[in-house]
Amino acid sequence: MEFVQPIRDLKQIETIKRLLKQQSLRDYCLFTLGINSGLRISDLLKLKISDVVENCKIKDRIRIREKKTNKFKNFPLSKNTISAIKEYLKSRDYTENEPLFISRKNKGYLLRQQAYKIINDVAKCIGIKEKIGTHTLRKTFGYHAYNNGYDITLIQKLFNHSSPSVTLRYIGITQDELDDVYLSLDL
């Protein structure tokens, strides 16, 4: 597996959302939910309609058991995420047992390879040069949580990492950013 980067630039995130929304509400919803939940791609792609809809209404929380850790994850959905899910589900017919992110070819779950292609293609389209992949969504969530002042130990707990240093490395905190602490503090 290649080491991929988060999307650090908020303008690039907005551009990606706009482009994905124009080409596919499914892909837009996948990206929006991914960058706002920090879920691993394996968990994101295995979501069912019933994980996000109850009694024909979008739930305000997702409760799942993580595939990798077998731990329960329970988190609220942001306004942007709820809006993206609503828009996407209005565009398709579904039953609550179906995959949330359905493959156009076989009506089953969207495959990891296809999710990679969606994310990678749109990133290249807007000129992102760093390595981008399915883990980019999760890393983008962590990177922006950290940059918005959330404690690294809190993000570590959200990601089920063993230490803050693992989380910092995972979310792509670069040497330049660490150096900036020294240079900007300048007491």
Side-chain angles (χ1 to χ4, degrees):
M1 182 188 307
E2 285 187 73
F3 188 79
V4 298
Q5 296 297 322
I7 302 168
R8 293 175 175 87
D9 186 326
L10 291 172
K11 287 180 185 171
Q12 288 179 325
I13 290 172
E14 288 308 311
T15 302
I16 288 172
K17 286 167 66 175
R18 186 175 38 79
L19 290 174
L20 287 175
K21 193 173 187 178
Q22 290 170 356
Q23 79 184 34
S24 165
L25 288 174
R26 179 201 64 190
D27 299 350
Y28 165 70
C29 184
L30 174 72
F31 182 80
T32 303
L33 180 54
I35 65 171
N36 283 289
S37 68
L39 285 176
R40 289 179 184 85
I41 196 68
S42 56
D43 295 321
L44 196 57
L45 294 178
K46 289 298 178 192
L47 289 173
K48 292 184 175 186
I49 299 287
S50 60
D51 291 319
V52 298
V53 172
E54 188 171 60
N55 299 324
C56 300
K57 185 178 178 287
I58 304 298
K59 294 179 179 182
D60 60 352
R61 302 185 75 79
I62 290 182
R63 293 171 185 86
I64 62 165
R65 183 182 292 265
E66 292 179 318
K67 183 179 175 184
K68 182 176 180 178
T69 65
N70 207 31
K71 293 179 181 178
F72 283 101
K73 187 156 187 91
N74 179 346
F75 60 94
L77 295 173
S78 69
K79 289 178 187 174
N80 283 338
T81 303
I82 290 171
S83 177
I85 294 169
K86 278 183 186 176
E87 261 186 287
Y88 167 50
L89 291 180
K90 279 184 194 175
S91 74
R92 66 173 268 209
D93 294 325
Y94 60 85
T95 63
E96 289 194 6
N97 271 346
E98 288 180 1
L100 177 60
F101 300 112
I102 198 164
S103 167
R104 291 188 187 104
K105 288 184 182 175
N106 63 15
K107 301 296 183 200
Y109 289 97
L110 184 68
L111 299 176
R112 182 184 197 104
Q113 295 85 341
Q114 188 60 30
Y116 171 84
K117 184 174 175 13
I118 291 162
I119 296 161
N120 216 20
D121 287 354
V122 75
K124 283 181 184 173
C125 178
I126 69 160
I128 293 177
K129 303 275 188 257
E130 291 116 344
K131 291 191 184 298
I132 299 294
T134 54
H135 246 47
T136 292
L137 303 179
R138 180 171 161 89
K139 289 182 176 198
T140 298
F141 169 80
Y143 178 84
H144 287 283
Y146 181 73
N147 277 346
N148 277 290
Y150 290 97
D151 188 86
I152 194 63
T153 56
L154 185 61
I155 300 165
Q156 170 197 343
K157 185 171 173 58
L158 288 171
F159 281 165
N160 286 316
H161 285 164
S162 58
S163 72
S165 63
V166 169
T167 303
L168 284 168
R169 190 171 52 253
Y170 181 82
I171 63 176
I173 300 302
T174 64
Q175 187 62 50
D176 288 345
E177 291 166 302
L178 296 174
D179 290 351
D180 190 46
V181 173
Y182 291 101
L183 298 173
S184 64
L185 195 55
D186 200 21
L187 297 172

